[in-house]
Amino acid sequence: MKLLFVLPRFNIAGGVYITLKMAEVLAATGRHQVTVAVWDWKSAPAVTWLEIPDTVAVVPFDDALGGRYDVAFATWWETLIGLGRFEATTYAHFIQALESAFFPWGDARQALHEFLLESNVFPSLTTARWMLNYASQPAYCVLAGLDRALFHPVPPVVPKQSSRIRCLVEGPMAASRKNVRPTIELLESLGLEYILAGDDASRTAAGRHCIGTLCLPLRSMAGVYSAADVLVKCSNAEGMFAPPLEMFACGGTAVCWDVAGAEEYMVHGYNSLLAPLNSFTAVRECLERLIADGELLARLQANAKATADAWPAWEEIGPGLERAVARVAAIANQKEFRQLVDVALQRFDWSPPAE
């Protein structure tokens, strides 16, 4: 089959990485020709934070318009609007998060997003089971794999000098849903040593207990994970929620809110500690437990590593991914999808993302 995935941009994001890995897995079968079209191309040629597979054609949006595809997948929800410009038998959504949750409550884009997803005009492919209930139907789930070549214990990028617990805060500070700044404030109040990792990590935003601000390519992240004992991540909107699993694979554990997606592999008191969503008080209590109980920390880390070791590698998800794509491809919806987009644009105020 000829498959197309449309990305909005090549920014540092788990969704971009997972899209490329899914495309790579499909291309590796030798049965599919896979193209990834990037809406905002200006940063793509210089991308260095991840490896672009040479088995996948990664091209500007306009360069992909001349092709004819069996299935065209939107990724970020706004790419659904431009998807009908491509010639495809089936238009579908590769949904990795409930993206309307990323907007302030009442934002006009929420209504457009929900209108599209509630239409059930196009099939969906998700990376977490919880999203099946929010996606346009029919929807099929294929859990993202774990890249064991990238994520495993390695020498830390910042060697530890003491036996004190060291934390890792990961994510963009500019994304309010990631709650990076308040997480930093919590760690500072506890006097815990931590590393801050993200594409906009800044020493000026960190406190005196921060021992490093890092923005490293994906291939170097194992050294960051291996440099900490605990990933502290307080996101209130996620998809599959992969960073804790990557932390597990590198020998650490995590303290997180019980955001949707965490239930795929995180078990409170077994391989991690989970606090109620939006409760920094509960996160503090979890961290205080770890400070006071070294045996608990060691037990969580050992069980977390076992969890990661049992998780399927990317190459193992291939058969299930192919079956899901075949089911999507069986739904021809060109006319219905284009009509849906026309109605949406007439009903809602929308303009393309700025390049």
Side-chain angles (χ1 to χ4, degrees):
M1 285 192 289
K2 293 187 69 173
L3 305 174
L4 173 72
F5 291 86
V6 181
L7 284 173
R9 59 194 64 85
F10 248 137
N11 58 311
I12 298 178
V16 173
Y17 165 68
I18 288 176
T19 298
L20 286 174
K21 291 300 294 186
M22 290 284 191
E24 183 179 16
V25 168
L26 288 164
T29 66
R31 291 181 287 274
H32 309 289
Q33 181 180 334
V34 189
T35 300
V36 174
V38 184
W39 193 326
D40 180 5
W41 181 255
K42 63 179 180 293
S43 63
V47 67
T48 58
W49 70 274
L50 83 173
E51 304 294 331
I52 298 176
D54 56 15
T55 54
V56 175
V58 179
V59 301
F61 184 94
D62 288 348
D63 288 4
L65 289 174
R68 181 72 174 80
Y69 306 95
D70 294 293
V71 184
F73 285 99
T75 54
W76 175 254
W77 75 272
E78 286 180 311
T79 60
L80 279 164
I81 302 297
L83 201 63
R85 293 176 60 191
F86 297 94
E87 282 296 322
T89 302
T90 301
Y91 298 94
H93 190 194
F94 181 35
I95 178 172
Q96 299 188 60
L98 185 58
E99 295 153 343
S100 60
F102 299 173
F103 302 124
W105 183 255
D107 190 298
R109 291 168 292 182
Q110 283 183 331
L112 171 56
H113 176 248
E114 290 168 6
F115 173 79
L116 292 169
L117 266 60
E118 291 171 2
S119 70
N120 295 331
V121 166
F122 51 91
S124 303
L125 186 62
T126 80
T127 54
R129 282 177 280 250
W130 73 269
M131 286 183 281
L132 289 170
N133 295 325
Y134 297 92
S136 177
Q137 302 297 318
Y140 310 101
C141 178
V142 180
L143 297 176
L146 180 64
D147 192 332
R148 302 197 192 284
L150 286 182
F151 301 112
H152 54 87
V154 299
V157 294
V158 184
K160 289 194 70 174
Q161 303 297 328
S162 72
S163 60
R164 294 181 61 214
I165 289 178
R166 178 188 286 175
C167 297
L168 170 64
V169 183
E170 179 272 335
M173 303 185 74
S176 60
R177 65 187 174 87
K178 299 288 187 178
N179 288 297
V180 171
R181 291 181 187 276
T183 301
I184 290 172
E185 292 170 4
L186 173 60
L187 296 179
E188 286 288 340
S189 71
L190 287 168
L192 284 173
E193 185 177 273
Y194 63 93
I195 295 170
L196 174 60
D199 61 343
D200 55 358
S202 168
R203 185 72 202 189
T204 59
R208 65 188 184 91
H209 293 98
C210 178
I211 59 164
T213 55
L214 304 170
C215 181
L216 298 176
L218 198 63
R219 61 181 176 274
S220 301
M221 277 302 295
V224 178
Y225 288 128
S226 296
D229 302 298
V230 184
L231 171 67
V232 185
K233 200 160 177 66
C234 299
S235 305
N236 52 30
E238 287 287 345
M240 184 208 153
F241 201 35
L245 182 62
E246 295 165 357
M247 181 68 172
F248 288 6
C250 295
T253 184
V255 172
C256 303
W257 284 341
D258 58 355
V259 64
E263 73 284 349
E264 293 290 358
Y265 60 88
M266 302 182 78
V267 180
H268 177 69
Y270 172 73
N271 56 22
S272 55
L273 295 179
L274 293 171
L277 197 67
N278 296 323
S279 175
F280 279 105
T281 299
V283 174
R284 172 184 284 272
E285 292 169 355
C286 290
L287 290 169
E288 289 173 340
R289 284 182 62 189
L290 294 179
I291 293 170
D293 190 346
E295 291 185 1
L296 173 61
L297 174 62
R299 186 167 67 252
L300 294 177
Q301 289 175 322
N303 292 334
K305 187 63 168 61
T307 299
D309 288 346
W311 193 264
W314 274 107
E315 52 269 23
E316 296 176 89
I317 72 164
L321 177 58
E322 274 203 290
R323 285 193 296 270
V325 169
R327 296 172 79 177
V328 167
I331 303 168
N333 64 349
Q334 184 182 93
K335 180 179 178 182
E336 296 86 351
F337 181 82
R338 288 175 170 172
Q339 288 176 341
L340 171 69
V341 172
D342 288 343
V343 171
L345 291 177
Q346 291 170 14
R347 186 176 300 185
F348 300 94
D349 182 27
W350 180 86
S351 57
E355 294 191 2

